[in-house]
Amino acid sequence: MSKHKEKKTISMIIGQILNVLLLIVFVLIMIGVYYIVQIKVFQNDYANLFGYTFFEVATGSMSGTIEVGDVVIVKITKDVNQGEVIVYKEGDNFITHRLVEKDGSHLVAKGDANNSEDKPITEDQILGRVIYIIPKLGIWRKIFLSPEIIGLILLLLFLLGVVVQFFSKNDKANNENN
């Protein structure tokens, strides 16, 4: 393969990678904007993303199963079963605990690391059940959402775009000269 074709192939690969990265950043920004609008503008307690929401765990009450800094993805539903990890609202707080007793309207939850059960809750308090745990995402979220890191990522994407444009212009100039 000639040097020209190699450069063109590398330039195309870098361009495709840049496009994918920009798409990912765009999607994450759109989710962030939607989340902020749901919480700040509409004054919702949580953002409903197609029947799902997510929370960062703030305490060690579920330690061993869910740790501080983990993010839980919650299916918004009242259809929960005994033994499942649920999220329910108590006052202004969302609690992530295991449903240990369900007998009609009598619901009791308990943190896996707690010695005692929570006070009974009603079905109206239930937000949904945990379907997935993303370990330590809360910590990474705090790191990557700091203004300094966001600025650095955007700067790097911009510089990568400039480099790709530079190489593609050089390739066009070389093609015209040959």
Side-chain angles (χ1 to χ4, degrees):
M1 192 181 331
S2 73
K3 280 193 168 203
H4 172 69
K5 285 185 180 180
E6 268 183 39
K7 284 183 181 180
K8 190 172 183 178
T9 303
I10 291 171
S11 180
M12 279 185 7
I13 291 171
I14 291 173
Q16 292 300 321
I17 291 170
L18 181 62
N19 286 338
V20 169
L21 288 174
L22 287 172
L23 179 65
I24 290 169
V25 168
F26 176 75
V27 168
L28 291 174
I29 288 171
M30 294 309 296
I31 289 171
V33 168
Y34 179 78
Y35 184 83
I36 289 169
V37 168
Q38 288 278 309
I39 303 296
K40 302 290 185 189
V41 176
F42 294 137
Q43 302 288 312
N44 293 337
D45 293 329
Y46 59 91
N48 183 342
L49 301 165
F50 307 109
Y52 296 88
T53 191
F54 56 91
F55 296 98
E56 181 179 345
V57 175
T59 71
S61 64
M62 287 294 291
S63 188
T65 306
I66 305 170
E67 304 299 333
V68 174
D70 290 355
V71 170
V72 293
I73 298 176
V74 180
K75 168 75 174 144
I76 300 171
T77 181
K78 302 288 183 195
D79 183 25
V80 294
N81 298 308
Q82 187 171 328
E84 293 179 325
V85 178
I86 64 169
V87 174
Y88 68 92
K89 188 166 185 182
E90 183 174 64
D92 289 337
N93 298 315
F94 287 99
I95 312 292
T96 303
H97 282 172
R98 190 172 305 281
L99 184 60
V100 294
E101 188 178 331
K102 182 179 182 184
D103 185 20
S105 63
H106 182 72
L107 303 166
V108 178
K110 177 183 175 289
D112 288 357
N114 290 351
N115 293 327
S116 60
E117 296 175 337
D118 302 345
K119 66 181 184 180
I121 59 173
T122 64
E123 193 173 276
D124 290 344
Q125 289 176 270
I126 294 176
L127 176 64
R129 71 175 170 271
V130 173
I131 61 163
Y132 195 73
I133 302 162
I134 306 172
K136 305 296 178 212
L137 182 63
I139 295 165
W140 289 107
R141 180 186 60 84
K142 287 177 186 155
I143 292 169
F144 282 110
L145 290 183
S146 68
E148 298 86 6
I149 299 299
I150 289 174
L152 182 63
I153 290 170
L154 292 174
L155 178 65
L156 288 174
L157 288 173
F158 173 76
L159 290 175
L160 186 58
V162 168
V163 168
V164 167
Q165 288 292 339
F166 175 77
F167 279 120
S168 90
K169 284 183 182 177
N170 273 351
D171 285 342
K172 286 180 186 174
N174 287 339
N175 286 341
E176 289 173 3
N177 291 337
N178 290 337

